[in-house]
């Protein structure tokens, strides 16, 4: 068995198409079919059930797909590590974040620094709009942010990490705290705490329109510059807020309750400027892709 056979197998298995796999590797379909047939003969099991119209994985093929991806990843990492050992890569990479990444960012950075121990990582916390602007200006190399309004920056490339729904956030002693779902009508007159309009105009607009489209004007009593400040004031009983559920960080005296009304989820993404010349950027994004294959968000 060689790596080429595994790569061809994974391409067919992911697409369930010999034609598309052949196009990906710029080879004839017959070459793909021959390599798959040789692989099946080598390991002694059938990997695909195929006819003129469909291609399906067998149980053996499904299992091999899971294992083959890991083999290819380990092979590529071994080659990369060998090259880095010859020429120890060093430098600096600046990463902007919002504060929603506590479940995965420490592990990702730990994994990256094990591969590139001489690289210095600088972490800088932003609000979403200032982070996006910093990416555009090249002040940071990598950003973890929301998809909202990122499209207006044509030089920014992004990859989706996960969907993030919104929730009503309130102190655990609030009369509505134990309600599973909360309607806009029930919080129409509640004091609302939000991120400052000047710092995050799109975020402010998102919350404002949530109320107005349901016939209410939000009772905004405080605008803050950081998510942590919003949470602190809600925890202190100053008011309630509407925030991404990813802000939830138990144990806490806060409650994150689902809204009855439909609120469009936003995508949480990793993003970078395609014009950024820092050679560490493609290395970090590659490490991120490998991390995504093993981590459940």
């Amino acid at each position: 068995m060689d790596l080429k056979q595994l790569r061809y197998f994974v391409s067919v298995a992911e697409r369930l198409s010999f034609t598309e796999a052949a196009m990906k590797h710029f080879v004839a379909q017959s070459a793909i079919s021959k390599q798959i047939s040789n692989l099946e003969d080598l390991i002694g099991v059938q990997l695909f059930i195929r006819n003129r119209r469909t291609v399906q994985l067998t149980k053996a093929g499904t299992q091999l797909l899971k294992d083959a991806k890991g083999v290819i990843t380990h092979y590529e990492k071994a080659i990369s590590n060998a090259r880095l050992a010859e020429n120890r890569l060093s430098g600096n990479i600046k990463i902007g974040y919002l504060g929603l990444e506590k479940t995965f960012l420490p592990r990702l950075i730990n994994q990256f620094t094990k591969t590139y121990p001489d690289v210095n990582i600088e972490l800088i916390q932003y609000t979403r709009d200032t982070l996006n602007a910093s990416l555009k200006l090249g002040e940071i190399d990598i950003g973890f942010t929301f998809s909202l309004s990122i499209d207006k920056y044509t030089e920014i490339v992004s990859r989706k990490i996960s969907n993030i729904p919104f929730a009503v956030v309130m102190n655990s002693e609030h009369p509505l705290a134990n309600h599973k779902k909360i309607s806009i009508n029930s919080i129409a007159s509640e004091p609302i705490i939000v991120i400052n309009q000047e710092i995050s105009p799109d975020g402010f607009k998102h919350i404002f329109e949530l109320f107005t489209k349901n016939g209410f004007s939000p009772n905004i009593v405080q605008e803050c510059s950081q998510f942590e400040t919003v949470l602190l004031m809600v925890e202190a009983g100053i008011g309630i807020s509407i925030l991404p559920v990813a802000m939830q960080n138990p144990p806490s005296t806060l409650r994150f309750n689902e809204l009855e009304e439909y609120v469009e989820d936003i995508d949480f993404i990793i993003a970078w400027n395609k014009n950024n010349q820092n050679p560490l950027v493609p290395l970090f994004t590659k490490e991120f892709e490998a991390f995504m294959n093993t981590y459940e968000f």
Side-chain angles (χ1 to χ4, degrees), residues 209 221 257:
E209 290 181 347
V221 297
N257 298 319

Side-chain angles (χ1 to χ4, degrees), residues 47-258:
L47 300 173
F48 296 100
I49 300 171
R50 46 195 183 270
N51 55 41
R52 291 183 179 180
R53 291 184 295 179
T54 63
V55 176
Q56 293 180 324
L57 280 166
T58 63
K59 288 183 179 179
T62 301
Q63 182 60 52
L64 182 60
L65 177 60
K66 294 178 182 178
D67 296 334
K69 286 172 142 185
V71 170
I72 293 170
T73 297
H74 286 305
Y75 169 83
E76 292 176 343
K77 180 165 281 191
I79 297 299
S80 176
N81 288 343
R83 289 171 177 165
L84 287 170
E86 179 68 21
N87 180 22
R88 296 276 289 189
L89 187 63
S90 62
N92 299 286
I93 186 167
K94 293 183 178 180
I95 299 175
Y97 70 102
L98 300 177
L100 312 178
E101 308 84 354
K102 296 174 184 177
T103 59
F104 73 89
L105 188 56
R107 300 185 197 182
L108 172 59
I109 290 175
N110 179 265
Q111 181 172 306
F112 182 78
T113 53
K114 284 180 178 177
T115 306
Y116 306 105
D118 295 333
V119 171
N120 178 60
I121 294 180
E122 183 179 353
L123 291 172
I124 309 167
Q125 187 168 6
Y126 292 89
T127 60
R128 190 206 62 207
D129 293 270
T130 55
L131 189 153
N132 293 351
S134 294
L135 274 175
K136 173 181 170 59
L137 295 172
E139 296 173 347
I140 55 175
D141 301 302
I142 298 288
F144 291 94
T145 184
F146 298 139
S147 59
L148 199 64
S149 298
I150 198 74
D151 291 342
K152 67 183 180 183
Y153 299 115
T154 57
E155 57 273 85
I156 302 301
V157 181
S158 65
R159 296 287 183 273
K160 178 180 174 180
I161 298 175
S162 64
N163 288 332
I164 299 184
F166 282 87
V168 180
V169 188
M170 57 184 57
N171 187 287
S172 59
E173 296 181 359
H174 192 284
L176 299 175
N178 293 322
H179 288 219
K180 184 175 180 180
K181 289 188 177 183
I182 294 177
S183 68
I184 292 295
N185 182 67
S186 66
I187 59 171
S189 61
E190 290 283 337
I192 307 293
I193 302 168
V194 297
I195 292 292
N196 186 278
Q197 183 175 191
E198 293 183 0
I199 293 176
S200 183
D202 291 322
F204 185 94
K205 180 181 177 183
H206 193 72
I207 301 303
F208 191 86
E209 290 181 347
L210 174 62
F211 280 85
T212 56
K213 73 180 182 182
N214 286 285
F216 302 102
S217 180
N219 177 26
I220 297 173
V221 297
Q222 185 73 42
E223 297 182 28
C224 306
S225 60
Q226 297 287 344
F227 282 122
E228 284 80 1
T229 309
V230 174
L231 291 175
L232 190 152
M233 297 193 74
V234 172
E235 195 164 7
I238 306 299
I240 68 172
S241 189
I242 298 176
L243 294 171
V245 295
M247 292 299 303
Q248 191 169 6
N249 187 27
S252 172
T253 59
L254 296 175
R255 295 290 182 270
F256 283 68
N257 298 319
E258 184 180 350

